[in-house]
Amino acid sequence: MKLIIAYIRPERLTAVKQALYAKEIFSMTVTNVLGSGRQKGFTETYRGVVMEVNLLKKIRLEIGVNDSFLEAALKAVESGARTGKEGDGVVFVLDIARSLRIRTGESDIAAVAATRTAP
Protein backbone atom coordinates (compact mmCIF):
# COMPACT_ATOMS: atom_id res chain seq x y z
CA MET A 1 0.00 0.00 0.00
CA LYS A 2 1.24 3.47 -0.86
CA LEU A 3 0.35 7.05 -0.01
CA ILE A 4 0.84 9.51 -2.85
CA ILE A 5 1.27 13.13 -1.79
CA ALA A 6 1.23 15.56 -4.71
CA TYR A 7 1.60 19.34 -4.69
CA ILE A 8 0.12 20.86 -7.84
CA ARG A 9 -1.08 24.17 -9.28
CA PRO A 10 -4.64 25.02 -8.18
CA GLU A 11 -5.80 25.52 -11.76
CA ARG A 12 -4.73 21.95 -12.66
CA LEU A 13 -6.89 20.23 -10.03
CA THR A 14 -9.78 19.50 -12.41
CA ALA A 15 -7.46 17.97 -15.01
CA VAL A 16 -5.77 15.79 -12.37
CA LYS A 17 -9.12 14.61 -10.99
CA GLN A 18 -10.35 13.72 -14.48
CA ALA A 19 -7.16 11.77 -15.20
CA LEU A 20 -7.51 9.89 -11.90
CA TYR A 21 -11.20 9.15 -12.54
CA ALA A 22 -10.28 7.76 -15.99
CA LYS A 23 -8.00 5.28 -14.18
CA GLU A 24 -10.85 4.40 -11.76
CA ILE A 25 -9.17 6.10 -8.81
CA PHE A 26 -11.83 8.08 -6.97
CA SER A 27 -10.67 8.44 -3.36
CA MET A 28 -8.47 11.41 -2.52
CA THR A 29 -8.07 14.22 -0.05
CA VAL A 30 -7.58 17.76 -1.38
CA THR A 31 -6.18 20.60 0.71
CA ASN A 32 -5.35 24.22 -0.12
CA VAL A 33 -1.81 24.97 1.03
CA LEU A 34 0.87 27.65 0.77
CA GLY A 35 4.46 26.80 0.00
CA SER A 36 7.69 27.70 -1.69
CA GLY A 37 9.97 25.75 -3.96
CA ARG A 38 12.02 26.47 -7.03
CA GLN A 39 9.57 29.16 -8.17
CA LYS A 40 10.84 31.40 -5.35
CA GLY A 41 7.77 33.64 -5.50
CA PHE A 42 7.38 37.09 -7.02
CA THR A 43 7.08 40.75 -6.08
CA GLU A 44 4.01 42.92 -6.56
CA THR A 45 2.95 46.43 -5.68
CA TYR A 46 -0.14 46.87 -3.55
CA ARG A 47 -1.27 50.45 -2.83
CA GLY A 48 2.21 51.73 -3.51
CA VAL A 49 3.95 49.22 -1.27
CA VAL A 50 6.23 46.63 -2.84
CA MET A 51 5.48 43.19 -1.38
CA GLU A 52 7.46 40.02 -1.81
CA VAL A 53 5.23 36.97 -2.16
CA ASN A 54 7.29 33.84 -1.59
CA LEU A 55 4.58 31.48 -0.37
CA LEU A 56 2.48 30.49 -3.36
CA LYS A 57 -0.96 28.85 -3.44
CA LYS A 58 -0.82 25.14 -4.18
CA ILE A 59 -3.09 22.12 -3.87
CA ARG A 60 -2.03 19.10 -1.81
CA LEU A 61 -3.51 15.79 -2.96
CA GLU A 62 -3.30 12.68 -0.82
CA ILE A 63 -4.19 9.42 -2.53
CA GLY A 64 -3.99 6.02 -0.86
CA VAL A 65 -3.65 3.12 -3.31
CA ASN A 66 -2.63 -0.50 -3.28
CA ASP A 67 0.58 -1.35 -5.10
CA SER A 68 -1.14 -2.39 -8.33
CA PHE A 69 -2.64 1.11 -8.74
CA LEU A 70 0.55 3.06 -7.99
CA GLU A 71 1.86 3.53 -11.53
CA ALA A 72 -1.58 4.37 -12.94
CA ALA A 73 -2.11 6.99 -10.22
CA LEU A 74 1.34 8.53 -10.75
CA LYS A 75 0.83 8.78 -14.51
CA ALA A 76 -2.61 10.34 -14.01
CA VAL A 77 -1.28 12.99 -11.62
CA GLU A 78 1.68 13.73 -13.88
CA SER A 79 -0.38 14.03 -17.07
CA GLY A 80 -3.07 16.15 -15.42
CA ALA A 81 -0.69 18.50 -13.61
CA ARG A 82 1.98 19.07 -16.26
CA THR A 83 2.07 22.45 -18.01
CA GLY A 84 5.79 22.38 -18.81
CA LYS A 85 6.45 25.45 -16.68
CA GLU A 86 8.35 25.77 -13.43
CA GLY A 87 6.01 25.29 -10.49
CA ASP A 88 4.03 22.35 -11.91
CA GLY A 89 4.56 20.56 -8.62
CA VAL A 90 6.13 17.54 -7.01
CA VAL A 91 4.96 14.05 -6.02
CA PHE A 92 6.07 11.94 -3.07
CA VAL A 93 5.30 8.25 -2.56
CA LEU A 94 5.31 6.82 0.96
CA ASP A 95 4.76 3.31 2.24
CA ILE A 96 1.63 2.81 4.34
CA ALA A 97 2.41 0.56 7.30
CA ARG A 98 -1.22 -0.02 8.23
CA SER A 99 -4.70 1.24 7.36
CA LEU A 100 -8.16 0.84 8.87
CA ARG A 101 -11.58 1.68 7.45
CA ILE A 102 -13.49 2.97 10.46
CA ARG A 103 -17.00 2.19 9.20
CA THR A 104 -16.42 -1.49 8.40
CA GLY A 105 -13.37 -2.38 10.45
CA GLU A 106 -11.54 -3.56 7.30
CA SER A 107 -7.81 -3.23 7.60
CA ASP A 108 -4.75 -2.92 5.40
CA ILE A 109 -5.33 -3.62 1.67
CA ALA A 110 -9.10 -4.09 2.08
CA ALA A 111 -9.33 -0.63 3.67
CA VAL A 112 -7.61 1.17 0.78
CA ALA A 113 -10.14 2.48 -1.72
CA ALA A 114 -8.49 1.32 -4.96
CA THR A 115 -8.32 -2.44 -4.46
CA ARG A 116 -9.47 -3.74 -7.83
CA THR A 117 -7.05 -4.83 -10.55
CA ALA A 118 -5.25 -1.80 -11.93
CA PRO A 119 -6.45 -0.41 -15.27
Side-chain angles (χ1 to χ4, degrees):
M1 297 178 300
K2 304 292 184 191
L3 176 64
I4 300 168
I5 300 173
Y7 295 91
I8 63 170
R9 296 173 182 268
E11 63 270 17
R12 301 302 300 166
L13 177 59
T14 301
V16 170
K17 286 192 320 184
Q18 289 173 345
L20 287 166
Y21 293 166
K23 302 282 186 180
E24 296 187 15
I25 300 168
F26 303 101
S27 297
M28 68 190 78
T29 300
V30 179
T31 311
N32 287 307
V33 296
L34 296 174
S36 63
R38 291 186 180 168
Q39 276 181 290
K40 300 177 187 151
F42 57 92
T43 58
E44 65 180 22
T45 304
Y46 179 72
R47 295 187 178 183
V49 177
V50 176
M51 299 176 62
E52 184 176 328
V53 178
N54 52 11
L55 293 177
L56 303 173
K57 293 179 181 178
K58 295 291 181 181
I59 295 290
R60 176 182 166 129
L61 286 172
E62 295 178 17
I63 308 161
V65 295
N66 67 30
D67 292 339
S68 65
F69 271 79
L70 179 61
E71 288 305 316
L74 289 174
K75 288 179 194 239
V77 171
E78 182 182 13
S79 67
R82 178 175 284 157
T83 67
K85 300 176 186 167
E86 195 167 84
D88 277 351
V90 65
V91 178
F92 301 103
V93 178
L94 306 171
D95 286 322
I96 297 174
R98 186 123 195 251
S99 63
L100 173 71
R101 184 179 305 273
I102 296 170
R103 178 180 56 87
T104 63
E106 296 170 306
S107 63
D108 299 327
I109 291 175
V112 177
T115 57
R116 299 170 305 281
T117 304

mmCIF file of all heavy atoms in Angstrom, residues 32-69:
data_model
loop_
_atom_site.group_PDB
_atom_site.id
_atom_site.type_symbol
_atom_site.label_atom_id
_atom_site.label_comp_id
_atom_site.label_asym_id
_atom_site.label_seq_id
_atom_site.Cartn_x
_atom_site.Cartn_y
_atom_site.Cartn_z
ATOM 1 N N ASN A 32 -6.016 22.998 0.329
ATOM 2 C CA ASN A 32 -5.351 24.216 -0.125
ATOM 3 C C ASN A 32 -4.184 24.498 0.805
ATOM 4 O O ASN A 32 -4.349 24.507 2.022
ATOM 5 C CB ASN A 32 -6.314 25.414 -0.095
ATOM 6 C CG ASN A 32 -7.332 25.351 -1.195
ATOM 7 O OD1 ASN A 32 -6.992 25.206 -2.362
ATOM 8 N ND2 ASN A 32 -8.598 25.443 -0.833
ATOM 9 N N VAL A 33 -3.005 24.714 0.236
ATOM 10 C CA VAL A 33 -1.811 24.968 1.033
ATOM 11 C C VAL A 33 -1.022 26.130 0.444
ATOM 12 O O VAL A 33 -1.267 26.553 -0.684
ATOM 13 C CB VAL A 33 -0.905 23.712 1.128
ATOM 14 C CG1 VAL A 33 -1.601 22.585 1.856
ATOM 15 C CG2 VAL A 33 -0.435 23.273 -0.240
ATOM 16 N N LEU A 34 -0.090 26.656 1.228
ATOM 17 C CA LEU A 34 0.872 27.651 0.768
ATOM 18 C C LEU A 34 2.253 27.043 0.880
ATOM 19 O O LEU A 34 2.542 26.322 1.836
ATOM 20 C CB LEU A 34 0.804 28.917 1.625
ATOM 21 C CG LEU A 34 -0.498 29.703 1.599
ATOM 22 C CD1 LEU A 34 -0.439 30.835 2.620
ATOM 23 C CD2 LEU A 34 -0.752 30.252 0.214
ATOM 24 N N GLY A 35 3.121 27.347 -0.075
ATOM 25 C CA GLY A 35 4.464 26.801 0.000
ATOM 26 C C GLY A 35 5.413 27.501 -0.947
ATOM 27 O O GLY A 35 5.021 28.337 -1.759
ATOM 28 N N SER A 36 6.674 27.146 -0.804
ATOM 29 C CA SER A 36 7.688 27.700 -1.693
ATOM 30 C C SER A 36 8.568 26.565 -2.170
ATOM 31 O O SER A 36 8.748 25.559 -1.493
ATOM 32 C CB SER A 36 8.525 28.752 -0.985
ATOM 33 O OG SER A 36 9.239 28.174 0.083
ATOM 34 N N GLY A 37 9.095 26.747 -3.352
ATOM 35 C CA GLY A 37 9.972 25.750 -3.956
ATOM 36 C C GLY A 37 10.897 26.461 -4.910
ATOM 37 O O GLY A 37 11.367 27.572 -4.637
ATOM 38 N N ARG A 38 11.122 25.880 -6.043
ATOM 39 C CA ARG A 38 12.023 26.472 -7.025
ATOM 40 C C ARG A 38 11.475 27.738 -7.663
ATOM 41 O O ARG A 38 12.227 28.526 -8.211
ATOM 42 C CB ARG A 38 12.348 25.460 -8.109
ATOM 43 C CG ARG A 38 13.205 24.337 -7.590
ATOM 44 C CD ARG A 38 13.637 23.439 -8.700
ATOM 45 N NE ARG A 38 14.459 22.367 -8.147
ATOM 46 C CZ ARG A 38 14.795 21.305 -8.814
ATOM 47 N NH1 ARG A 38 14.392 21.146 -10.054
ATOM 48 N NH2 ARG A 38 15.537 20.379 -8.249
ATOM 49 N N GLN A 39 10.160 27.943 -7.591
ATOM 50 C CA GLN A 39 9.573 29.162 -8.167
ATOM 51 C C GLN A 39 10.057 30.414 -7.458
ATOM 52 O O GLN A 39 10.135 31.466 -8.042
ATOM 53 C CB GLN A 39 8.049 29.107 -8.087
ATOM 54 C CG GLN A 39 7.409 28.352 -9.209
ATOM 55 C CD GLN A 39 5.902 28.370 -9.051
ATOM 56 O OE1 GLN A 39 5.374 27.735 -8.152
ATOM 57 N NE2 GLN A 39 5.235 29.072 -9.917
ATOM 58 N N LYS A 40 10.308 30.323 -6.179
ATOM 59 C CA LYS A 40 10.840 31.404 -5.354
ATOM 60 C C LYS A 40 9.915 32.596 -5.195
ATOM 61 O O LYS A 40 10.301 33.597 -4.638
ATOM 62 C CB LYS A 40 12.196 31.872 -5.880
ATOM 63 C CG LYS A 40 13.230 30.780 -5.890
ATOM 64 C CD LYS A 40 14.520 31.263 -6.471
ATOM 65 C CE LYS A 40 15.462 30.079 -6.607
ATOM 66 N NZ LYS A 40 16.387 30.246 -7.674
ATOM 67 N N GLY A 41 8.714 32.548 -5.698
ATOM 68 C CA GLY A 41 7.765 33.636 -5.501
ATOM 69 C C GLY A 41 7.942 34.774 -6.488
ATOM 70 O O GLY A 41 8.594 34.652 -7.512
ATOM 71 N N PHE A 42 7.357 35.921 -6.144
ATOM 72 C CA PHE A 42 7.382 37.091 -7.018
ATOM 73 C C PHE A 42 7.175 38.332 -6.170
ATOM 74 O O PHE A 42 6.853 38.250 -4.992
ATOM 75 C CB PHE A 42 6.302 36.976 -8.104
ATOM 76 C CG PHE A 42 4.914 36.798 -7.555
ATOM 77 C CD1 PHE A 42 4.097 37.900 -7.313
ATOM 78 C CD2 PHE A 42 4.405 35.536 -7.272
ATOM 79 C CE1 PHE A 42 2.814 37.745 -6.808
ATOM 80 C CE2 PHE A 42 3.128 35.366 -6.761
ATOM 81 C CZ PHE A 42 2.336 36.478 -6.526
ATOM 82 N N THR A 43 7.359 39.500 -6.778
ATOM 83 C CA THR A 43 7.076 40.753 -6.082
ATOM 84 C C THR A 43 5.913 41.438 -6.774
ATOM 85 O O THR A 43 5.721 41.306 -7.983
ATOM 86 C CB THR A 43 8.296 41.698 -6.080
ATOM 87 O OG1 THR A 43 8.677 41.953 -7.423
ATOM 88 C CG2 THR A 43 9.461 41.095 -5.328
ATOM 89 N N GLU A 44 5.122 42.158 -6.005
ATOM 90 C CA GLU A 44 4.012 42.922 -6.559
ATOM 91 C C GLU A 44 3.853 44.193 -5.744
ATOM 92 O O GLU A 44 4.323 44.291 -4.615
ATOM 93 C CB GLU A 44 2.722 42.113 -6.577
ATOM 94 C CG GLU A 44 2.176 41.751 -5.223
ATOM 95 C CD GLU A 44 0.885 40.955 -5.301
ATOM 96 O OE1 GLU A 44 0.590 40.324 -6.323
ATOM 97 O OE2 GLU A 44 0.150 40.984 -4.302
ATOM 98 N N THR A 45 3.208 45.168 -6.358
ATOM 99 C CA THR A 45 2.955 46.430 -5.679
ATOM 100 C C THR A 45 1.485 46.511 -5.320
ATOM 101 O O THR A 45 0.614 46.333 -6.169
ATOM 102 C CB THR A 45 3.327 47.616 -6.600
ATOM 103 O OG1 THR A 45 4.698 47.455 -6.992
ATOM 104 C CG2 THR A 45 3.170 48.931 -5.883
ATOM 105 N N TYR A 46 1.224 46.758 -4.035
ATOM 106 C CA TYR A 46 -0.139 46.875 -3.549
ATOM 107 C C TYR A 46 -0.259 48.209 -2.829
ATOM 108 O O TYR A 46 0.406 48.429 -1.821
ATOM 109 C CB TYR A 46 -0.477 45.708 -2.612
ATOM 110 C CG TYR A 46 -1.874 45.772 -2.044
ATOM 111 C CD1 TYR A 46 -2.974 45.506 -2.849
ATOM 112 C CD2 TYR A 46 -2.089 46.111 -0.723
ATOM 113 C CE1 TYR A 46 -4.264 45.553 -2.344
ATOM 114 C CE2 TYR A 46 -3.373 46.171 -0.199
ATOM 115 C CZ TYR A 46 -4.447 45.895 -1.017
ATOM 116 O OH TYR A 46 -5.725 45.955 -0.515
ATOM 117 N N ARG A 47 -1.078 49.108 -3.373
ATOM 118 C CA ARG A 47 -1.270 50.453 -2.825
ATOM 119 C C ARG A 47 0.051 51.177 -2.587
ATOM 120 O O ARG A 47 0.279 51.789 -1.550
ATOM 121 C CB ARG A 47 -2.092 50.400 -1.536
ATOM 122 C CG ARG A 47 -3.497 49.907 -1.763
ATOM 123 C CD ARG A 47 -4.310 50.025 -0.513
ATOM 124 N NE ARG A 47 -5.675 49.583 -0.787
ATOM 125 C CZ ARG A 47 -6.649 49.614 0.086
ATOM 126 N NH1 ARG A 47 -6.443 50.072 1.292
ATOM 127 N NH2 ARG A 47 -7.843 49.191 -0.235
ATOM 128 N N GLY A 48 0.935 51.032 -3.570
ATOM 129 C CA GLY A 48 2.209 51.731 -3.511
ATOM 130 C C GLY A 48 3.282 51.061 -2.693
ATOM 131 O O GLY A 48 4.399 51.558 -2.598
ATOM 132 N N VAL A 49 2.971 49.934 -2.082
ATOM 133 C CA VAL A 49 3.948 49.221 -1.270
ATOM 134 C C VAL A 49 4.396 47.970 -2.026
ATOM 135 O O VAL A 49 3.568 47.169 -2.451
ATOM 136 C CB VAL A 49 3.348 48.826 0.102
ATOM 137 C CG1 VAL A 49 4.345 48.017 0.910
ATOM 138 C CG2 VAL A 49 2.881 50.041 0.853
ATOM 139 N N VAL A 50 5.696 47.810 -2.182
ATOM 140 C CA VAL A 50 6.231 46.625 -2.842
ATOM 141 C C VAL A 50 6.224 45.470 -1.848
ATOM 142 O O VAL A 50 6.747 45.585 -0.739
ATOM 143 C CB VAL A 50 7.664 46.871 -3.362
ATOM 144 C CG1 VAL A 50 8.247 45.601 -3.967
ATOM 145 C CG2 VAL A 50 7.673 48.002 -4.376
ATOM 146 N N MET A 51 5.581 44.370 -2.249
ATOM 147 C CA MET A 51 5.479 43.194 -1.381
ATOM 148 C C MET A 51 6.136 42.003 -2.058
ATOM 149 O O MET A 51 5.965 41.805 -3.263
ATOM 150 C CB MET A 51 4.009 42.868 -1.104
ATOM 151 C CG MET A 51 3.250 43.965 -0.399
ATOM 152 S SD MET A 51 1.508 43.576 -0.206
ATOM 153 C CE MET A 51 1.580 42.142 0.799
ATOM 154 N N GLU A 52 6.871 41.239 -1.295
ATOM 155 C CA GLU A 52 7.463 40.019 -1.813
ATOM 156 C C GLU A 52 6.569 38.850 -1.411
ATOM 157 O O GLU A 52 6.300 38.640 -0.227
ATOM 158 C CB GLU A 52 8.861 39.811 -1.254
ATOM 159 C CG GLU A 52 9.549 38.611 -1.851
ATOM 160 C CD GLU A 52 10.976 38.461 -1.373
ATOM 161 O OE1 GLU A 52 11.628 39.477 -1.111
ATOM 162 O OE2 GLU A 52 11.413 37.313 -1.257
ATOM 163 N N VAL A 53 6.084 38.134 -2.402
ATOM 164 C CA VAL A 53 5.226 36.972 -2.156
ATOM 165 C C VAL A 53 6.069 35.733 -2.433
ATOM 166 O O VAL A 53 6.389 35.436 -3.573
ATOM 167 C CB VAL A 53 3.976 36.988 -3.064
ATOM 168 C CG1 VAL A 53 3.123 35.766 -2.825
ATOM 169 C CG2 VAL A 53 3.184 38.258 -2.854
ATOM 170 N N ASN A 54 6.479 35.026 -1.358
ATOM 171 C CA ASN A 54 7.289 33.835 -1.589
ATOM 172 C C ASN A 54 6.598 32.548 -1.143
ATOM 173 O O ASN A 54 7.149 31.477 -1.276
ATOM 174 C CB ASN A 54 8.670 33.950 -0.939
ATOM 175 C CG ASN A 54 8.602 34.315 0.518
ATOM 176 O OD1 ASN A 54 7.524 34.289 1.107
ATOM 177 N ND2 ASN A 54 9.724 34.666 1.094
ATOM 178 N N LEU A 55 5.398 32.659 -0.622
ATOM 179 C CA LEU A 55 4.580 31.479 -0.372
ATOM 180 C C LEU A 55 3.432 31.490 -1.372
ATOM 181 O O LEU A 55 2.579 32.365 -1.336
ATOM 182 C CB LEU A 55 4.042 31.476 1.064
ATOM 183 C CG LEU A 55 5.088 31.314 2.156
ATOM 184 C CD1 LEU A 55 4.431 31.409 3.526
ATOM 185 C CD2 LEU A 55 5.837 30.005 2.019
ATOM 186 N N LEU A 56 3.450 30.529 -2.268
ATOM 187 C CA LEU A 56 2.484 30.491 -3.360
ATOM 188 C C LEU A 56 1.366 29.497 -3.057
ATOM 189 O O LEU A 56 1.559 28.507 -2.353
ATOM 190 C CB LEU A 56 3.186 30.093 -4.656
ATOM 191 C CG LEU A 56 4.358 30.998 -5.050
ATOM 192 C CD1 LEU A 56 5.080 30.430 -6.247
ATOM 193 C CD2 LEU A 56 3.870 32.402 -5.336
ATOM 194 N N LYS A 57 0.186 29.747 -3.614
ATOM 195 C CA LYS A 57 -0.958 28.853 -3.437
ATOM 196 C C LYS A 57 -0.729 27.577 -4.228
ATOM 197 O O LYS A 57 -0.369 27.619 -5.405
ATOM 198 C CB LYS A 57 -2.243 29.523 -3.909
ATOM 199 C CG LYS A 57 -2.658 30.691 -3.055
ATOM 200 C CD LYS A 57 -3.926 31.330 -3.572
ATOM 201 C CE LYS A 57 -4.290 32.520 -2.707
ATOM 202 N NZ LYS A 57 -5.484 33.200 -3.182
ATOM 203 N N LYS A 58 -0.932 26.455 -3.557
ATOM 204 C CA LYS A 58 -0.821 25.138 -4.177
ATOM 205 C C LYS A 58 -1.953 24.264 -3.658
ATOM 206 O O LYS A 58 -2.641 24.607 -2.698
ATOM 207 C CB LYS A 58 0.520 24.468 -3.828
ATOM 208 C CG LYS A 58 1.743 25.171 -4.368
ATOM 209 C CD LYS A 58 1.814 25.061 -5.862
ATOM 210 C CE LYS A 58 3.062 25.766 -6.375
ATOM 211 N NZ LYS A 58 3.151 25.706 -7.825
ATOM 212 N N ILE A 59 -2.130 23.133 -4.296
ATOM 213 C CA ILE A 59 -3.088 22.116 -3.870
ATOM 214 C C ILE A 59 -2.284 20.892 -3.428
ATOM 215 O O ILE A 59 -1.356 20.470 -4.114
ATOM 216 C CB ILE A 59 -4.034 21.716 -5.021
ATOM 217 C CG1 ILE A 59 -4.907 22.885 -5.438
ATOM 218 C CG2 ILE A 59 -4.873 20.498 -4.651
ATOM 219 C CD1 ILE A 59 -5.952 23.285 -4.442
ATOM 220 N N ARG A 60 -2.642 20.344 -2.272
ATOM 221 C CA ARG A 60 -2.026 19.102 -1.807
ATOM 222 C C ARG A 60 -3.043 17.988 -1.985
ATOM 223 O O ARG A 60 -4.148 18.051 -1.439
ATOM 224 C CB ARG A 60 -1.625 19.214 -0.337
ATOM 225 C CG ARG A 60 -1.065 17.920 0.232
ATOM 226 C CD ARG A 60 -0.741 18.069 1.706
ATOM 227 N NE ARG A 60 -0.530 16.780 2.324
ATOM 228 C CZ ARG A 60 0.526 16.471 3.061
ATOM 229 N NH1 ARG A 60 1.457 17.370 3.278
ATOM 230 N NH2 ARG A 60 0.632 15.277 3.585
ATOM 231 N N LEU A 61 -2.673 16.983 -2.754
ATOM 232 C CA LEU A 61 -3.508 15.795 -2.965
ATOM 233 C C LEU A 61 -2.898 14.641 -2.184
ATOM 234 O O LEU A 61 -1.684 14.434 -2.238
ATOM 235 C CB LEU A 61 -3.508 15.387 -4.435
ATOM 236 C CG LEU A 61 -4.299 16.213 -5.417
ATOM 237 C CD1 LEU A 61 -4.002 15.747 -6.824
ATOM 238 C CD2 LEU A 61 -5.774 16.076 -5.143
ATOM 239 N N GLU A 62 -3.738 13.905 -1.483
ATOM 240 C CA GLU A 62 -3.301 12.681 -0.821
ATOM 241 C C GLU A 62 -4.153 11.547 -1.366
ATOM 242 O O GLU A 62 -5.390 11.613 -1.325
ATOM 243 C CB GLU A 62 -3.454 12.796 0.690
ATOM 244 C CG GLU A 62 -2.542 13.855 1.284
ATOM 245 C CD GLU A 62 -2.719 14.012 2.782
ATOM 246 O OE1 GLU A 62 -3.292 13.107 3.427
ATOM 247 O OE2 GLU A 62 -2.283 15.038 3.299
ATOM 248 N N ILE A 63 -3.495 10.533 -1.886
ATOM 249 C CA ILE A 63 -4.188 9.421 -2.532
ATOM 250 C C ILE A 63 -3.602 8.122 -1.990
ATOM 251 O O ILE A 63 -2.405 7.865 -2.161
ATOM 252 C CB ILE A 63 -4.008 9.468 -4.066
ATOM 253 C CG1 ILE A 63 -4.386 10.840 -4.613
ATOM 254 C CG2 ILE A 63 -4.808 8.365 -4.734
ATOM 255 C CD1 ILE A 63 -3.837 11.127 -5.988
ATOM 256 N N GLY A 64 -4.425 7.331 -1.343
ATOM 257 C CA GLY A 64 -3.993 6.021 -0.863
ATOM 258 C C GLY A 64 -4.374 4.959 -1.879
ATOM 259 O O GLY A 64 -5.527 4.879 -2.286
ATOM 260 N N VAL A 65 -3.392 4.167 -2.308
ATOM 261 C CA VAL A 65 -3.648 3.123 -3.310
ATOM 262 C C VAL A 65 -2.919 1.844 -2.917
ATOM 263 O O VAL A 65 -1.936 1.877 -2.182
ATOM 264 C CB VAL A 65 -3.186 3.543 -4.728
ATOM 265 C CG1 VAL A 65 -3.982 4.717 -5.240
ATOM 266 C CG2 VAL A 65 -1.698 3.845 -4.768
ATOM 267 N N ASN A 66 -3.417 0.714 -3.441
ATOM 268 C CA ASN A 66 -2.625 -0.502 -3.276
ATOM 269 C C ASN A 66 -1.556 -0.505 -4.354
ATOM 270 O O ASN A 66 -1.568 0.310 -5.275
ATOM 271 C CB ASN A 66 -3.503 -1.766 -3.270
ATOM 272 C CG ASN A 66 -4.161 -2.038 -4.592
ATOM 273 O OD1 ASN A 66 -3.639 -1.708 -5.650
ATOM 274 N ND2 ASN A 66 -5.324 -2.660 -4.555
ATOM 275 N N ASP A 67 -0.596 -1.385 -4.226
ATOM 276 C CA ASP A 67 0.579 -1.353 -5.098
ATOM 277 C C ASP A 67 0.245 -1.473 -6.584
ATOM 278 O O ASP A 67 0.915 -0.892 -7.424
ATOM 279 C CB ASP A 67 1.563 -2.448 -4.691
ATOM 280 C CG ASP A 67 2.182 -2.179 -3.327
ATOM 281 O OD1 ASP A 67 2.181 -1.009 -2.884
ATOM 282 O OD2 ASP A 67 2.663 -3.141 -2.695
ATOM 283 N N SER A 68 -0.817 -2.208 -6.917
ATOM 284 C CA SER A 68 -1.144 -2.393 -8.335
ATOM 285 C C SER A 68 -1.682 -1.113 -8.983
ATOM 286 O O SER A 68 -1.672 -0.996 -10.204
ATOM 287 C CB SER A 68 -2.149 -3.535 -8.511
ATOM 288 O OG SER A 68 -3.387 -3.204 -7.916
ATOM 289 N N PHE A 69 -2.130 -0.146 -8.192
ATOM 290 C CA PHE A 69 -2.643 1.109 -8.735
ATOM 291 C C PHE A 69 -1.603 2.233 -8.723
ATOM 292 O O PHE A 69 -1.869 3.323 -9.213
ATOM 293 C CB PHE A 69 -3.861 1.576 -7.930
ATOM 294 C CG PHE A 69 -5.162 1.034 -8.441
ATOM 295 C CD1 PHE A 69 -5.553 -0.257 -8.152
ATOM 296 C CD2 PHE A 69 -5.998 1.822 -9.223
ATOM 297 C CE1 PHE A 69 -6.751 -0.754 -8.627
ATOM 298 C CE2 PHE A 69 -7.192 1.341 -9.700
ATOM 299 C CZ PHE A 69 -7.570 0.038 -9.400
#
